[in-house]
Structure formats: structure tokens, C-alpha cells
Amino acid sequence: MADVVNFDEHPADTLKAGKKFKLGDVDPGSTPGYAGDKAEGEKLLSELDGKLTNLQEQLFAESRIGGKKRVLLVLQAMDTAGKGGIVNHVMGQMNPQGVQLKSFKAPTPEEQSYDFLWRIEKEVPAAGMVGVFDRSHYEDVLIHRVHRWADAEELERRYRAINEFEARQTAAGTKIVKVMLHISRDEQQERLLARLEDPAKRWKYSGNDLKERAFWDDYMDAYQAAFEQTSSEHAPWHVVPANKKWFARIAVQQLLLDALEGLALEWPVPELDVEMEQELVRRS
């Protein structure tokens, strides 16, 4: 059996949106740090499923004895970029009891009566959990910038509020993994057409996708601004080329593995006499 092809360079490094990062320089069809093909990438994804599941269980187990650690995966992208695929193919291998998934839609009238982070704070994962935000607080600086629903002063306030929010979460034990799945405009067009052509996927299509597509360049500018304003040391952004769905999945899997391994998780040691308990079980 052939060896599994691993990353030559870790996505935590190659995909990080650093100080000089420019979204326009990223090729959505590339596979940074990975020399394998689709079949090899899918094999790697499968090979590491068990490791990811084991680390998630350790995270959950630690919380049973007072551990405060948790992970929050923030997924942002243009429509059809593959957020659902990440949830299904990467997060889907985890124990669902240890995963908190929240998809943020347009705010309700009640939510609009509070600051934009009010509804976000309530959905932060509990200790021991892996949380996933399918869209997030970043919608309030992306779409609001594109459609000018917020002026420059309000946007600056929101960037600051986001940085403060994420710093608080980090201090409380949350490891934040922020991912933008980056597809090309042409790739999005192909995926929208594919949805319309397939009766099993047609329900996913929304005319609103087409409306927002008209603002593509504005969205790219809004993402660039968000990276510049909110990619911090404790919560950096990672831009994942996503024209190749298989690559996006293995890249996000690697980012989650890196986050969990960085928490230095350990199995709890119960306060009991193992030999005595074994004997009691045998007699039961």
C-alpha cells in the first residue's frame, strides 16, 4: 500500500493572512504546501479522521474534570465555496455530542435591537466542545461594508469590538480557528449552474446568491479589510484556496488538528483504585 501523502508545509503557516497578505495574490485553484492529487488528498483526510476524533474526545474528557479549553472554527466564504462540505466531511467525523454548530442567518428584530455581538456571544462553545460558526460575526463587517449599511466609523468600531471579543474568548480558554474558503468567480458560476442542473441540489439555489455575486469585487475588498483589521496573533485568519473541494477539506482538517494539538490535551486520571474496581467488576 502506498504511503499517505502529507503536507510539505503546514497550512497554519502557508495559509495564514499575515501583515503583507493580499487576497488578490491567492490562486483559488492552488494547493499550497501539498503536492498530492485528489485521490491522495482524500486518503489523507480518511487517514487522519481517527486522530481528529481522538483529540476531540480528549478535549471533552478534560472538561469533565473542570477543563476550560474549547475550539471555535469560524467559516466564512462566498456562496457555494464549500462550508457545508467542511462540516460534513471534516466535522462529521467527530462525536456530534461534542460539536456545537451554529449557522447565523439575517438577524431577527430582537437581535437587531442589541449590539451585533449579542447573538454571537450566546453561541460560543462550552468548555470541552468544538464549536463551528457557519458564517459569523464577520457578516456584520462584510455585507454591511459592501452594501454601505454601516459607515466607516461604525465599521471601525465593529473591528475593534471583534478584536476585543476574540481576545476575551482566547483568555477564557477558546482556541479560535478563522477560515475563509476562497473560490474564484468562475468556479462559483460553475457551482451555481450545477445546483440548477441537479434536482437533488436545486433546493440549495437562491436568487439572492446571484444578487450578491454582482458585488464580487466589493466583497473581496471587504474581506481584505477584515483580514487587515482582525487577523491577530491569538486569532489569525487563514485563507484556504477552495476551487478544489478536497484540498479545502484536508487544509481545514490540518488547521483543526494543529489547534487541538496546541492545547496539550491529556486524558483525565480518575481518583480510584483501578485494581480494586476491576475486581469489583469481575464479581458483579
Side-chain angles (χ1 to χ4, degrees), residues 9 46 65 108 129 172 189 204 209 218 222 230 233 255 274:
E9 299 175 79
S46 177
I65 58 167
T108 65
M129 304 293 284
Q189 183 183 63
K204 294 182 179 182
D209 297 344
D218 293 325
T230 65
E233 183 177 348
L255 291 172
V274 176

Side-chain angles (χ1 to χ4, degrees), residues 102-120 122 134-141 143-144 149 158:
K102 178 63 179 179
S103 180
F104 289 97
K105 307 298 184 183
T108 65
E110 180 189 16
E111 291 168 341
Q112 288 179 326
S113 70
Y114 293 90
D115 185 68
F116 77 102
L117 285 173
W118 179 76
R119 65 175 182 159
I120 307 296
K122 296 192 298 180
D134 180 352
R135 300 192 186 277
S136 66
H137 41 299
Y138 284 96
E139 291 296 298
D140 291 282
V141 292
I143 192 169
H144 283 251
W149 296 342
R158 292 185 184 189

Side-chain angles (χ1 to χ4, degrees), residues 7 10-12 15 240-241 246-256:
F7 278 81
H10 200 286
L15 305 180
V240 177
W246 62 267
F247 175 77
R249 292 165 187 170
I250 61 174
V252 174
Q253 183 189 59
Q254 290 286 324
L255 291 172
L256 285 171

Side-chain angles (χ1 to χ4, degrees), residues 172-196:
T174 306
K175 176 60 178 179
I176 301 173
V177 181
K178 298 191 298 195
V179 171
M180 184 254 192
L181 300 175
H182 186 36
I183 61 171
S184 66
R185 198 169 189 273
D186 288 344
E187 178 67 18
Q188 188 197 53
Q189 183 183 63
E190 290 185 15
R191 294 184 185 184
L192 288 173
L193 288 171
R195 284 183 177 181
L196 289 169

